[in-house]
Amino acid sequence: MEKEKISGKLPSECTTIIVGEEQSVDGARYLCRSSDFDALMAINVEVHRDTDDGQEEFVAKDSKFRCPLPKKALGYTGLPDYTYPGEWGSAGYNTAGVGMSSTETIFSSEKALEADPYVEDGLAENCTYNIVLPYVHTAREGVERLGALIEKYGSAEGFGIGFIDAKETWYLENAGGHRWLACRMPKDKYFVTGNQSRYRKYDPEDKENFLASADLIEFAEKNGLYNPADGEFDFHEAYSRDEKLDTTYNYPRVWGLQQMFSPAINNDVAKNTFPVFAEAERKISLADLRKAFRFHYDNTDHDPYLHSNGKEPYRPVSIFRTTQTHIMQVRPELPTAIGEVTYVAFGMADLSVFIPFYQGATEVDERYTYRANSESDDYSAYWTFRKIAALGMTDYNYFAPIIKKAYLELETEFDETQRKIEKEYLATCKEAPDNAVEALTAAGIAMQKRAYDFSKQLLNTLFTHLTKKVQEEYLFHGA
């Protein structure tokens, strides 16, 4: 997400990780992304209900984009920042069990944009979530709806968007104003990207694994973006941007995460030769994904926090202005209500805690839905977590170990709590489904409250340490 929003100050960018079910420890598929923008842009959880009488037109809050909507809409959850309520949902599941992560900012090349320019009042990143997720029943259907909207209205900017359900995971990258390519995630691979289009191979005859605008190759050939004499069509070469800034801002994240999961891959951090889909050395766990989104070239010369270097050229995965990070997990062998979970870390993942939100829960704790804004408050969940990270960053090497140790213990506690919650749900869902949903919702709220109360106490602990530090610096005892 590289556009400037209402504050007019900061660009927005993300890191995406997708894991196939044969690459994960638990046999789950994962669709994950950090949403990196402005630390002052508070995130508020939204819960929308199924409706037969929904809004019939979408009206964008920051452009002239408009489009009709079906009156019948599925319920869904979202994680918008406070400036886009009901619009930039970012991540969540609908009541049909389809998950969506929107969006990863990517960039088309200047030559591609000369042939097919972005449309100023076309489909922008903040519009994509709420006009797609409530109206689709499968991940594939999500790709098809989004692709049709891109072709009809044009894209206002570059973006990559993921969809996940009980059967498949798909990721779509747009190209220029009206074209796009989506690939089904291989079961035995993982995928990482940071603000770049990564796709290369495309087989228009393989409808099982590829979906795309009908003239994707033909248009590229006609406009000098692709020459068949040079070999097989390469989507990235034809449509995508590669510039010097990518070598420090984007490549290092892909390089670092692939080194984490696949240390045997021998890539040059300064060259875009990374495999699109890679195989991990060992199967990837939920804990591994939490660690990946906390990655900052830990304990190396490029670690900006270890060295207190805000000018470090290698952009880390975990940055202070992250507004939220989500890890969407789908375990098809379980009922959708508990098999689909979104783990959300509010604020900077490295100094935050991943909290589980179950697809089947019908409510969340009010501190998470409270309309927090760009000014700190003493009530909202977002600002509670944000204060901890802000204090931690004043002296990272002193405070971070305290914060990380505390939150690791809480995540371990939540892992055990979830096992109990899911066992209880399975024991009651067939005989008393309403009671099972009610208990699941209550258990989810209890974990959310636990994270909130735990963080309030952690904040007091940190201020106790800070008071001691300040006193040691300015003791002036004199006796």
Side-chain angles (χ1 to χ4, degrees), residues 395-411:
D395 188 343
Y396 183 89
N397 291 313
Y398 181 90
F399 288 116
I402 301 171
I403 298 170
K404 291 160 82 75
K405 180 177 182 294
Y407 277 150
L408 176 60
E409 292 173 358
L410 185 59
E411 287 175 349

Side-chain angles (χ1 to χ4, degrees), residues 48-59:
H48 300 270
R49 309 294 184 191
D50 287 0
T51 181
D52 292 325
D53 191 27
Q55 66 184 89
E56 296 184 67
E57 183 184 36
F58 177 86
V59 178

Side-chain angles (χ1 to χ4, degrees), residues 448-466:
Q448 294 149 26
K449 286 183 176 179
R450 170 68 172 142
Y452 179 87
D453 293 340
F454 183 96
S455 298
K456 283 285 191 181
Q457 183 55 54
L458 177 56
L459 192 58
N460 286 333
T461 299
L462 296 173
F463 268 100
T464 301
H465 280 274
L466 178 60

Side-chain angles (χ1 to χ4, degrees), residues 28-42:
R29 284 196 302 283
Y30 288 94
L31 172 61
C32 324
R33 182 173 56 87
S34 63
S35 183
D36 309 326
F37 174 47
D38 183 340
L40 297 175
M41 289 296 179

Side-chain angles (χ1 to χ4, degrees), residues 192-257:
V192 297
T193 184
N195 299 127
Q196 273 198 302
S197 168
R198 301 232 58 82
Y199 284 158
R200 293 190 177 274
K201 179 182 177 181
Y202 167 49
D203 180 358
E205 301 302 317
D206 184 359
K207 304 297 185 183
E208 184 177 356
N209 294 301
F210 297 98
L211 293 169
S213 45
D215 67 343
L216 186 67
I217 297 178
E218 178 186 0
F219 182 86
E221 185 176 350
K222 179 180 178 181
N223 288 276
L225 305 176
Y226 164 58
N227 183 354
D230 294 335
E232 187 178 18
F233 175 77
D234 184 317
F235 177 77
H236 184 90
E237 290 293 329
Y239 285 101
S240 303
R241 187 192 78 176
D242 265 305
E243 294 186 356
K244 184 177 180 180
L245 65 87
D246 294 317
T247 63
T248 55
Y249 199 84
N250 299 329
Y251 296 177
R253 281 180 281 163
V254 176
W255 173 82
L257 291 175

Side-chain angles (χ1 to χ4, degrees), residues 7 135 141 227 236 249 293 302 341 394 398 414 437 445 453:
S7 69
Y135 310 102
E141 189 180 332
N227 183 354
H236 184 90
Y249 199 84
F293 281 105
H302 289 284
V341 188
T394 63
Y398 181 90
F414 281 166
V437 170
I445 290 174
D453 293 340

